């Protein structure tokens, strides 16, 4: 039985005994939880250490890196390298795949991560977080080419995120249900505080950066117009809007009380296929959202079915309450 307040280790051992979670995955997830606790500490200490600003470098995404983007990336790499079954680490902040093994074995893991999500919120003291995704390879892969990590989201065996907000939370799925933990400062443990998180199927709350309205394609404009029309429009009911500029925080809210999150492809990001990254943001969050009873779509396709063509690939993202995602899919002509 999953008991409220049980430690993350107790939870993982429960999964190990009852759900066949591999021992090495238990260790890897504990290491990731440690990395998140340490990153959370770096974020809270940022103002003292003068770490909240830019690093003076640009990442492969063309973004100015924050010092904490780089620090968080180093923590992920350091902690995920402990596990001898990890073949490769793939990060939003690093151009190339970081291969830990030359020879891989069937059953080895690949870890994909966004070490710090929402990093533009750092200097204004709003929520940020980390996102990770784990894929298990079915057979040995060729480590001489980065193309070997291009594996569909539907193959994930685990995904999770941590939010560094008023408290630090860790939410994970190992492919059956979604559970949320809160970092308890006194004990230093992540403890189970949100059991079996589920997303209500219907919602009246949406999250989108509406300043991009002029850049959107017709289906997104039509959906948005209908939301704004409220009781006076075809929807027949009023809506509410939230946008935190941090995907982890927006998705965490949706996992808690429902809603839909959209970052569509638009005229401003069409050249790159969208803004959010398939392997570090859309896939892990899509897996978690589906496991919690929601849906994750590009508007025309299930996110987890997208075949990756590059590890830094971007995609349009629409995810959250099932009925709302279906409504937006319908605007795109998808049934
Ligand atoms: P990151 O900080 O990892 O680069 O991701 C930022 C993402 C995502 O968290 C958020 O939803 C979105 O960018 C915000 O974009 P806008 O600034 O365009 O609103
Ligand atoms: Mn970034
Ligand atoms: Mn991000
Ligand atoms: Mn990031």
């Amino acid at each position: 039985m999953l008991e409220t307040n049980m430690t993350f280790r107790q939870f993982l051992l429960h999964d190990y005994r009852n759900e066949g979670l591999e021992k090495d995955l238990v260790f890897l997830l504990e290491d990731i939880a440690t990395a998140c606790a340490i990153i959370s500490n770096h974020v809270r200490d940022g103002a003292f250490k003068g770490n909240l600003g830019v690093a003076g470098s640009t990442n492969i995404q063309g973004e100015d890196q924050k010092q904490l983007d780089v620090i968080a990336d180093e923590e992920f790499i350091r902690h995920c390298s402990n596990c001898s079954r990890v073949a490769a680490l793939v990060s939003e902040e690093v151009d190339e795949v970081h291969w830990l093994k030359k020879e891989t074995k069937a059953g080895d893991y690949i870890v994909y991560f966004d070490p710090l999500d929402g990093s533009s919120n750092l200097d204004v003291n709003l929520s940020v977080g980390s996102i990770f995704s784990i894929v298990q390879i079915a057979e040995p892969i060729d480590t001489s080419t980065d193309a070997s990590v291009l594996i569909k989201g539907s193959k994930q065996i685990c995904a999770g995120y941590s939010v560094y907000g008023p408290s630090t939370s860790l939410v994970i799925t190992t492919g059956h249900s979604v559970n949320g933990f809160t970092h308890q400062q006194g004990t230093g443990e992540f403890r189970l505080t949100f059991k079996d998180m589920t997303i209500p199927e219907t919602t009246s709350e949406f999250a989108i950066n509406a300043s991009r309205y002029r850049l959107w394609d017709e289906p997104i404009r039509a959906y948005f117009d209908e939301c704004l029309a409220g009781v006076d429009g075809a929807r027949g009911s009023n809506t509410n809007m939230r946008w935190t500029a941090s995907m982890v925080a927006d998705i965490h809210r949706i996992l808690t009380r429902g809603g839909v999150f959209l970052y569509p492809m638009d005229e401003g990001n069409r050249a790159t296929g969208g803004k959010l990254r398939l392997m570090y943001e859309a896939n892990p969050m899509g897996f978690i959202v589906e496991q919690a009873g929601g849906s994750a779509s590009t508007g025309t396709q299930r996110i987890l079915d997208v075949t990756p063509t590059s590890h830094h690939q971007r995609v349009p993202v629409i995810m959250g309450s099932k009925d709302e995602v279906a409504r937006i899919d319908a605007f795109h002509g998808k049934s």
Side-chain angles (χ1 to χ4, degrees):
M1 245 255 303
L2 291 181
E3 281 169 30
T4 304
N5 291 340
M6 74 199 297
T7 64
F8 188 53
R9 163 168 289 208
Q10 286 170 330
F11 168 83
L12 293 173
L13 291 177
H14 176 277
D15 250 27
Y16 167 71
R17 293 193 190 107
N18 301 290
E19 309 285 350
L21 191 73
E22 291 186 356
K23 197 163 54 108
D24 288 307
L25 195 52
V26 170
F27 295 141
L28 174 59
L29 288 171
E30 284 203 312
D31 283 332
I32 290 176
T34 302
C36 292
I38 291 174
I39 295 167
S40 152
N41 229 35
H42 283 300
V43 169
R44 283 179 217 294
D45 275 355
F48 300 115
K49 300 204 168 137
N51 279 340
L52 296 179
V54 289
S57 44
T58 308
N59 65 13
I60 185 83
Q61 324 283 333
E63 303 164 328
D64 289 331
Q65 284 178 307
K66 294 288 182 85
Q67 293 175 62
L68 281 164
D69 280 322
V70 179
I71 292 168
D73 186 59
E74 287 165 0
E75 293 295 355
F76 256 87
I77 290 176
R78 193 155 67 89
H79 288 87
C80 293
S81 301
N82 289 336
C83 175
S84 60
R85 297 267 303 278
V86 176
L89 301 173
V90 193
S91 166
E92 175 196 325
E93 300 300 334
V94 183
D95 304 11
E96 314 276 326
V97 172
H98 185 88
W99 289 99
L100 293 172
K101 287 186 159 201
K102 270 210 163 70
E103 303 285 330
T104 62
K105 288 199 186 104
D108 281 348
Y109 309 124
I110 302 175
V111 187
Y112 307 82
F113 50 90
D114 175 355
L116 203 57
D117 177 67
S119 57
S120 72
N121 277 347
L122 280 169
D123 35 16
V124 292
N125 196 22
L126 290 175
S127 293
V128 292
S130 302
I131 311 173
F132 65 91
S133 154
I134 303 173
V135 164
Q136 185 162 39
I137 55 174
E139 49 198 42
I141 51 174
D142 178 2
T143 61
S144 68
T145 166
D146 286 355
S148 299
V149 306
L150 303 179
I151 300 169
K152 275 187 192 176
S154 57
K155 300 285 183 199
Q156 292 172 100
I157 56 165
C158 178
Y161 66 83
S162 190
V163 189
Y164 315 127
S167 63
T168 291
S169 30
L170 178 68
V171 173
I172 72 156
T173 181
T174 51
H176 55 89
S177 75
V178 178
N179 289 284
F181 301 78
T182 304
H183 193 251
Q184 191 178 40
Q185 287 205 300
T187 60
E189 299 276 3
F190 278 104
R191 291 177 176 269
L192 182 62
T193 42
F194 302 96
K195 254 192 278 183
D196 199 11
M197 299 174 87
T198 48
I199 301 177
E201 287 186 8
T202 59
T203 185
S204 57
E205 197 163 72
F206 64 98
I208 192 165
N209 182 343
S211 69
R212 303 182 70 85
Y213 183 91
R214 75 189 191 289
L215 303 168
W216 293 338
D217 289 340
E218 190 44 37
I220 299 293
R221 282 194 197 201
Y223 167 70
F224 181 82
D225 289 345
E226 201 184 88
C227 286
L228 291 205
V231 284
D232 299 329
R235 185 183 180 104
S237 60
N238 290 331
T239 57
N240 187 33
M241 193 187 92
R242 287 287 183 273
W243 184 250
T244 69
S246 166
M247 186 190 198
V248 274
D250 280 317
I251 298 296
H252 192 63
R253 185 190 60 252
I254 288 169
L255 275 165
T256 312
R257 68 178 192 209
V260 68
F261 170 94
L262 303 94
Y263 211 116
M265 179 157 63
D266 62 32
E267 218 28 57
N269 61 38
R270 199 177 308 284
T272 52
K275 167 156 188 186
L276 298 181
R277 278 64 45 142
L278 174 64
M279 311 204 85
Y280 323 119
E281 293 167 321
N283 274 343
M285 290 311 210
F287 187 29
I288 293 166
V289 163
E290 283 194 2
Q291 287 298 315
S295 306
S297 167
T298 63
T300 53
Q301 188 184 11
R302 179 183 176 225
I303 284 176
L304 268 49
D305 287 336
V306 173
T307 303
T309 52
S310 139
H311 56 274
H312 293 300
Q313 180 177 349
R314 300 170 191 244
V315 282
V317 171
I318 300 160
M319 61 171 75
S321 292
K322 224 186 193 120
D323 291 356
E324 201 67 14
V325 174
R327 177 189 288 270
I328 302 165
D329 280 348
F331 275 102
H332 286 85
K334 181 173 176 255
S335 54

